[in-house]
Amino acid sequence: MNNKALKNINQILILLLLLSCKKINYGRPEEIFLIPKNLDNFVVIYEAEKNIDFNKDVTYIIPKNGVLKVNFQRNKGILNHKYILVDKAGKEKYELQNFAVQKYKNKIQNNTIYQLDAIDGSYIDSSFVKFIRNKTELSTQNPNTKKWFGIIIGKANDNQNKLRGKLFAKIDSISKK
């Protein structure tokens, strides 16, 4: 075989490898979040101990108040998330880009809406807290805590600390119910 033929075979093999990696999706189906376009944050509360079946894609429809409670637990590991802003009719409008990735690539556009940050944690509801002294330590170690996952949405020049504070206020209001 000549060098040109070997080069063509190598290019085809590399292309096939890249295409197969895209199909694998890191071994995880997609978790798709449909978000009302007027929200600047949302939170998903995981209320059960059982893990979600990750043999298929999962679509979360985030309500207007930005709080979605689900009756399963989030698996750990590589996440394959897709965030889509939708209009009132529920039609796909805009897929959010990850701000950190775009900043790294030096492709930030100030008029674009991004996923600014992804944060997760846990809390103990107020009925359980009454009998506990060290709430913070227990909320991270206790298996009876409720886990949550939140996303902050905004433009490149938005005050991320202010948006993060709004997300935490939302979680605090839920945890005290």
Side-chain angles (χ1 to χ4, degrees):
M1 249 193 260
N2 61 25
N3 283 343
K4 187 174 182 179
L6 282 174
K7 186 177 180 180
N8 287 341
I9 290 172
N10 282 340
Q11 289 175 341
I12 291 171
L13 289 174
I14 290 171
L15 181 63
L16 289 173
L17 179 64
L18 290 173
L19 289 174
S20 68
C21 288
K22 181 145 180 91
K23 284 185 179 180
I24 292 172
N25 284 333
Y26 308 108
R28 306 288 287 215
E30 278 187 330
E31 287 183 271
I32 302 163
F33 297 82
L34 301 178
I35 310 157
K37 67 179 186 176
N38 62 334
L39 285 180
D40 58 10
N41 69 68
F42 72 86
V43 63
V44 178
I45 309 291
Y46 299 93
E47 294 193 314
E49 289 185 24
K50 65 179 181 172
N51 285 336
I52 187 172
D53 176 14
F54 269 99
N55 295 326
K56 58 185 177 180
D57 291 349
V58 178
T59 300
Y60 302 88
I61 300 173
I62 305 299
K64 291 177 188 175
N65 69 358
V67 178
L68 177 66
K69 294 182 180 183
V70 294
N71 194 24
F72 54 82
Q73 191 52 252
R74 178 175 162 210
N75 275 350
K76 294 181 180 177
I78 296 172
L79 303 176
N80 189 13
H81 288 176
K82 185 176 185 179
Y83 304 100
I84 300 172
L85 294 179
V86 294
D87 62 6
K88 288 182 183 178
K91 296 179 182 175
E92 292 185 14
K93 282 294 190 186
Y94 178 78
E95 183 175 348
L96 293 177
Q97 298 177 37
N98 187 317
F99 179 74
V101 170
Q102 294 304 95
K103 188 173 181 181
Y104 176 77
K105 292 180 178 179
N106 211 14
K107 293 184 177 183
I108 293 296
Q109 298 175 14
N110 285 333
N111 60 344
T112 300
I113 300 172
Y114 295 98
Q115 168 208 332
L116 295 175
D117 203 357
I119 307 168
D120 61 355
S122 59
Y123 67 85
I124 299 175
D125 64 45
S126 60
S127 61
F128 190 66
V129 168
K130 286 187 239 176
F131 306 103
I132 305 299
R133 240 182 140 163
N134 189 342
K135 300 171 211 156
T136 306
E137 180 184 28
L138 285 171
S139 69
T140 58
Q141 297 173 358
N142 191 308
N144 298 317
T145 62
K146 293 182 182 174
K147 311 297 188 277
W148 59 267
F149 171 74
I151 293 291
I152 298 169
I153 302 165
K155 294 186 178 183
N157 55 358
D158 285 345
N159 183 333
Q160 291 185 34
N161 286 332
K162 183 177 178 181
L163 294 173
R164 192 174 288 112
K166 287 176 69 175
L167 175 68
F168 290 147
K170 185 179 287 183
I171 293 162
D172 285 345
S173 71
I174 295 165
S175 69
K176 292 175 183 168
K177 289 182 179 178

